[in-house]
Amino acid sequence: MLNKFKIDEWKVIEEGFDPKTNRFSESIFSLGNEHMGLRGFFEEGYSGDSLKGTYVAGVYYPDKTRVGWWKIGYPEFFAKVLNSTNWIGIDIEVDGKRLDLANARIKDFRRELDMREGTLTRSFIWSEEDGKETAFAFTRFLSMAENHIACISVKVRPLNFGGRITMAPYLDGNVVNEDANYGENFWEEVTRAVDFDQALLVMRTKKSGFVVATATAAKISLNSEVITPATELSACEKKVEFRFDVTVERGEEVELQKFVSVCTSRDFTESNLDSATRERLNQAVQKGYYELFHEHYRVLEQKWQESDIVIEGDPRAQQGIRYNIFQLNQTYTGKDPRLNIGPKGFTGEKYGGSTYWDTEAFCFPFYLYTNEEVARNLLYYRYLQLDKAKENAGKLGLKGALYPMVTMDGHECHNEWEITFEEIHRNAAIAYAIYNFAYYTGNNSYLYQYGIEVLIEISRFWADRVTYQARKDQYMILGVTGPNEYENNVNNNWYTNTMAAWTLEYTLGTLKGIEQSDPVRLGEITAQSGLSHTEQLKWQEIVIKMYRPYVAELGIFEQNDLYMDKEQLLVKDIPPEELPLNKHWSWDRILRSCFIKQADVIQGIFFLPERFDMACRKRNFDFYEPRTLHESSLSASIYSIVASWIGYHDKAYELYLRTARLDLDNYNDDTDDGVHLTSMAGSWSSIVQGFAGAAVRNNRFHLTPYIPEEWQGYSFKITFRGRKLKVYVTKEKVEIQQLSGDPLPIAVFDQEYLSRDGMEIVVEQKISRECRC
C-alpha cells in the first residue's frame, strides 16, 4: 500500500512532488467526459518518466497480433484505444529558461483533484539558482456539458523579479502508444493550419481510418485584463503552435486560457469535420472559460445528486467511494450506445481500452440502480454485436454466439490462448445482465424484443460446447479457464458449468413467457432464429444433467476438477515479501498452487444467491476466501458483498476498503498504468447490495441494512421501477424517503411497508449481526 494522498471527502490532494511515483499520480489524476480523457501528466514539458496519454472514445487501431506460436482461431489484431493528439501541451519559459520539473528546484508543490467540481489543479514555486522565484497555478477541466470541449488555465507570477514570460500552447500529433506490438506510429497527418485566432490539427489512424480533428485557441490576460501580446505562429509536421511573450513586473500575474475542441469522424462526416471542430471552438471561446466551467459544474452537480454515497464518520472510506463514483461518471454516461467501459477508462493504455466481461459482471448494477436507460444502452451495445459474436463462435468451430473476452467493435481481439479459447464464462455474464435488467426493472420489453435473440445464440453455444459423458450420464465443459485466471485449461469449472446451465434454463423460461404473453412474437423469434422444439429439449436435458464438482466431506463446491488434489495452503502462510504472487512467483508455480486470483465459486453464489442456503454460502466462503489473493481488482467487492450477506460484517468492511481504495492506495502495486475502472463499481455495490442489502426478491424491493462499526451513518439514492428513493442508515434507524413516482411496497428487514411520493419510512435498526439473505 502507498499512503500518498491527504484524506479529504471531496478531494484527492498530493503535497510534494516525487518523480519515482509520477506515473501512479498521473493515473489517479486522470480526467474524462465520456467523449475523451487524459492522464494527469503535466501541461509544460517534462523530461522525466511519464506516460503521456490523451484518448478519444471509440477511436482505435487494429494492432497486429503478436504471439510466439500462432494457433487456429487467434484474432488477427488487438484493438487499442490510441494515444491521440496531445492538446494539453504548453511550453513555458521564464527569461528564456524552460520550465521542466524533472530538473527544476521547486517548493510548495500541490496537486488537487476536486471531485465535486471535476477540476484538476496544480501549483508550485520554481526557485532558480540565481534566486528568482516564480509561482505557477494550473487548472484543467473537460466539459461534462459539451463533451467536445476542454479548458486549461495557466497562471504565472514572478514573486521577486520582473522579466519575460513565454508560453507556447500547441497541438502535437507526434504521439505513440507504449504498448504498440511492433513499435508502430498509428497516426498520419491529414491537415494542419494556424493563424492568430486558431490552430487546427487533423490526424487519421492508419488501417482503421478514424479521423480526429483538434482545434485550439488562447486568451492572454495580465492582472485579469485581456491583452494582445507579441505572438509567433509555428507549424511543422504533425504539430501547430502559438508562442506568446509577455513582459511582467514583480508580483504581476499573467494568465493563459487555452480552449480545445476535439471532434471525430465517428460523429461527423469527414467533409464537415474541420468546420464542426472550429465551430465548437468558436462557441467555447465566445462563452469564455468561466461560463464553460459553470455549465460543466451544473452537469456534474446533477450527477452527484443522483449517484453520490454519503458516509458519516469515516473520511477515508468516503474519499474512496467518491473517487470511484467520479471516475465512473466521467468515463461512461450512456449517451452513446456504441461505447462501453474499458477496464482502464481514460487513464492508461493497458487492456487496450477495450470492453471486457467486467462491464456486465461488475459495472452493470451501478448503472442499473442509478439510471435505467444507461443500463439498457450497455445491453444494446452487446445486441448490436451479436452477429460478430456468432462469427467468433464459428471461428472456434462452434454454433451460436461467443462474445469476445476483449473487443472494441464485436470482434475478439485477445491473443492469449487461455483467455481467447478458454475463458468462455464471459458469455454467462452477458446473459445474466439481461436477466438482471428485466428482473430489476420489472419490464420485459427489452428482454422480449432484443435480449431473447442474444440468449438463444448464447444457449446454442453452450449446447455445442458441452461434452456428454455417457459413463456418468452427465454433461461436462472441458478445457476452460474460470474467473480464477490462476488456473488454466481445467475441466468442469463449477462457476462456468453452473452459469451455462442457468443460461439455458433462463432462456427456456423466457421463451415460455413470450409464448404466454405474445405468441406472435414467439413465432417471429423461432422463424428468425430457426429454433426448434428438439433443440429446446436438448437444452433442458443439459440443464438437468449438467455436472457440477462437489466435495461431499466439506459440503462445498469444488472450483474445478482436481482442485482439491492441490496442496491446500492459505494466503496467510505466504511470506509478505512474496506478494503479490504475480510479481514474485513463476507462472508455473502459480498454476500448480491452490491460490485463487479472484472470486470464482463465490462469483456464482453472488449471481445466484437464492439457490444456496445460508449454511452453504458460509461453508464456501469460509473455504475459498482464505485461499483468495484478491490480486484481481475485481475480487474484493464480490467477497465483500457475500460477506455482508452471511453476517461477516468486519470482513465485509475490510474488503470494502480494499476495493474502495484499491487505486488511491495502490494495493496491488499496479496503478501506474491506469486505474481499475470496472472494479470501482464494485465498491458502490459493496455498500448498496452488501451493507444495505438492496435486492429484488419475489418481485419486491428489499432492504436489510447494517452499518459498519467505523461509520456513523451512510446514505445513497437509487431508482427502482420509475421511483426514486433515498436510503439513510444509522446505528439507530433506517430511513427511506421516496422522492418521486407511484406508491411502492418496500420490505425492510422482511417487514413490508407502502412507500409514497414525499413520504418517509423510518424503521428501527436491527443491532444484531445475524445472517441475511
Side-chain angles (χ1 to χ4, degrees), residues 465-480:
R465 184 62 169 77
V466 299
T467 297
Y468 176 67
Q469 171 50 255
R471 183 169 55 85
K472 295 184 176 180
D473 191 28
Q474 288 184 305
Y475 286 93
M476 301 182 175
I477 305 180
L478 310 178
V480 301

Side-chain angles (χ1 to χ4, degrees), residues 441-455:
T441 64
N443 186 337
N444 289 327
S445 59
Y446 180 87
L447 174 64
Y448 290 177
Q449 185 63 36
Y450 303 106
I452 187 59
E453 296 180 35
V454 175
L455 291 171

Side-chain angles (χ1 to χ4, degrees), residues 368-478:
L368 177 61
Y369 280 57
T370 57
N371 192 319
E372 202 174 284
E373 190 59 31
V374 174
R376 186 184 184 279
N377 278 349
L378 287 172
L379 296 180
Y380 192 61
Y381 172 89
R382 296 292 194 178
Y383 174 78
L384 292 174
Q385 296 181 354
L386 178 58
D387 286 342
K388 291 188 177 72
K390 292 163 72 174
E391 290 179 20
N392 291 335
K395 290 176 182 177
L396 301 187
L398 294 163
K399 299 174 183 176
L402 174 61
Y403 276 89
M405 186 66 181
V406 179
T407 192
M408 192 66 68
D409 63 355
H411 290 104
E412 176 65 76
C413 59
H414 199 287
N415 56 16
E416 294 175 301
W417 65 269
E418 69 273 15
I419 306 297
T420 308
F421 301 150
E422 293 194 342
E423 205 161 338
I424 55 177
H425 67 79
R426 67 230 193 203
N427 257 7
I430 291 164
Y432 184 81
I434 294 170
Y435 154 79
N436 204 6
F437 182 81
Y439 191 54
Y440 185 82
T441 64
N443 186 337
N444 289 327
S445 59
Y446 180 87
L447 174 64
Y448 290 177
Q449 185 63 36
Y450 303 106
I452 187 59
E453 296 180 35
V454 175
L455 291 171
I456 287 171
E457 296 304 332
I458 289 177
S459 294
R460 280 178 163 155
F461 172 83
W462 288 126
D464 200 27
R465 184 62 169 77
V466 299
T467 297
Y468 176 67
Q469 171 50 255
R471 183 169 55 85
K472 295 184 176 180
D473 191 28
Q474 288 184 305
Y475 286 93
M476 301 182 175
I477 305 180
L478 310 178

Side-chain angles (χ1 to χ4, degrees), residues 554-557 605 612-622 646 648 771:
L554 298 178
I556 64 169
F557 306 116
I605 291 174
F612 313 105
D613 63 29
M614 193 61 65
C616 176
R617 297 179 200 176
K618 275 192 169 185
R619 287 194 302 271
N620 282 278
F621 188 97
D622 291 346
I646 62 177
Y648 293 180
C771 303

Side-chain angles (χ1 to χ4, degrees), residues 4-5 12-16 18 21 25 29 109-111:
K4 184 176 177 65
F5 306 112
V12 179
I13 301 169
E14 176 187 41
E15 293 184 335
D18 182 359
T21 60
S25 294
F29 291 116
F109 180 94
R110 181 183 176 96
R111 186 159 33 179

Side-chain angles (χ1 to χ4, degrees), residues 369 435-436 439-440 608-612 614 617 645 688-690 692-705 720-721 745-752 771-773:
Y369 280 57
Y435 154 79
N436 204 6
Y439 191 54
Y440 185 82
L608 306 174
E610 70 282 353
R611 299 198 169 196
F612 313 105
M614 193 61 65
R617 297 179 200 176
W645 291 350
V688 176
Q689 295 177 278
V696 181
R697 296 199 295 272
N698 300 319
N699 210 34
R700 285 282 188 274
F701 184 74
H702 283 249
L703 288 167
T704 51
F720 179 71
R721 300 184 180 180
I746 298 176
V748 185
F749 301 117
D750 293 326
Q751 177 69 45
E752 189 165 301
C771 303
R772 303 170 299 142
C773 294

